């Protein structure tokens, strides 16, 4: 007999009921939620806002490894035994975040199959994204990397309608995301604007035609 399809899981509703081990946080823009080198003792979930993950090399060079939005988890590597944070998480804008202690998260994963399934799907999607980012860094030009970053920020390729107007993001941050200089980002942004791929005048608007940069060999 076929198993009945389970109802969709609402993580926001569930996380408010986790109980002991769960804390709601309000992080102001530019506030560090945790810092590279801190003890890794909890998982975080973004209810509202955006969070930037950055790493700093021993030589002091900083790189942005992810911009996370509402519905994303971060800090989950503590569940695999990581004891020290390898990145810094900073609020890009005012955020509402749920902090779940490691022990509480492990308990929830064992006791709530629907949540465990959702979390596993998230981790798999996150792993795929990391692999795509690595391929992008290894084989694509900085121009293509910038175009891809802008399209991802605008949610092109995701379910639902893309958000052609994306949140304000500095050229310095874009440069850190794609591993190039601010001057190169400025050059390509001006090029994209002249070609009609983007518009920016107080706000950044991304058009689907920017896909031509990514798809062109």
């Amino acid at each position: 007999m076929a198993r009945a399809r389970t109802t969709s899981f609402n993580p926001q509703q569930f996380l408010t009921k986790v109980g002991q081990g769960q804390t709601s946080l309000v992080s102001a823009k530019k506030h560090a939620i945790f810092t590279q080198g801190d003890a890794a003792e909890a998982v975080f979930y973004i209810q509202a806002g955006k969070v930037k993950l950055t790493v700093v090399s021993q030589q002091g060079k900083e790189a942005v490894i992810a911009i996370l939005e509402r519905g994303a988890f971060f800090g989950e590597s503590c569940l695999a035994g990581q004891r020290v944070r390898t990145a810094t998480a900073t609020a890009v804008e005012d955020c509402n975040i749920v902090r779940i202690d490691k022990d509480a998260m492990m308990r929830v994963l064992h006791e709530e199959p629907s949540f465990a399934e959702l979390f596993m799907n998230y981790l798999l999607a996150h792993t795929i994204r990391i692999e795509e980012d690595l391929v992008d860094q290894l084989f694509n030009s900085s121009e293509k990397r910038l175009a891809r970053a802008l399209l991802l920020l605008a949610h092109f390729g995701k379910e639902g309608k893309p958000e052609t107007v994306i949140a304000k993001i500095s050229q310095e941050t874009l440069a850190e995301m794609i591993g190039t200089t601010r001057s190169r980002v400025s050059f390509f942004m001006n090029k994209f604007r002249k070609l009609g791929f983007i518009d920016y005048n107080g706000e950044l608007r991304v058009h689907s035609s920017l896909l031509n940069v990514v798809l062109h060999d």
Side-chain angles (χ1 to χ4, degrees), residues 78-90:
C78 68
L79 302 176
Q82 185 184 80
R83 297 184 178 182
V84 176
R85 299 294 185 193
T86 57
T88 295
T90 307

Side-chain angles (χ1 to χ4, degrees), residues 30-63:
K30 296 185 179 180
H31 172 74
I33 300 158
F34 59 72
T35 303
Q36 186 172 336
D38 286 351
E41 301 172 336
V43 178
F44 298 83
Y45 175 79
I46 304 173
Q47 291 186 310
K50 291 183 175 66
V51 172
K52 175 175 67 174
L53 298 182
T54 59
V55 294
V56 178
S57 70
Q58 292 183 346
Q59 292 74 34
K61 184 177 180 180
E62 183 176 83

Side-chain angles (χ1 to χ4, degrees), residues 157-175:
K158 293 185 178 181
E159 293 184 5
K161 187 178 180 180
E163 299 176 6
T164 54
V165 177
I166 64 177
K168 185 176 181 181
I169 185 168
S170 69
Q171 291 188 356
E172 288 85 356
T173 298
L174 288 170

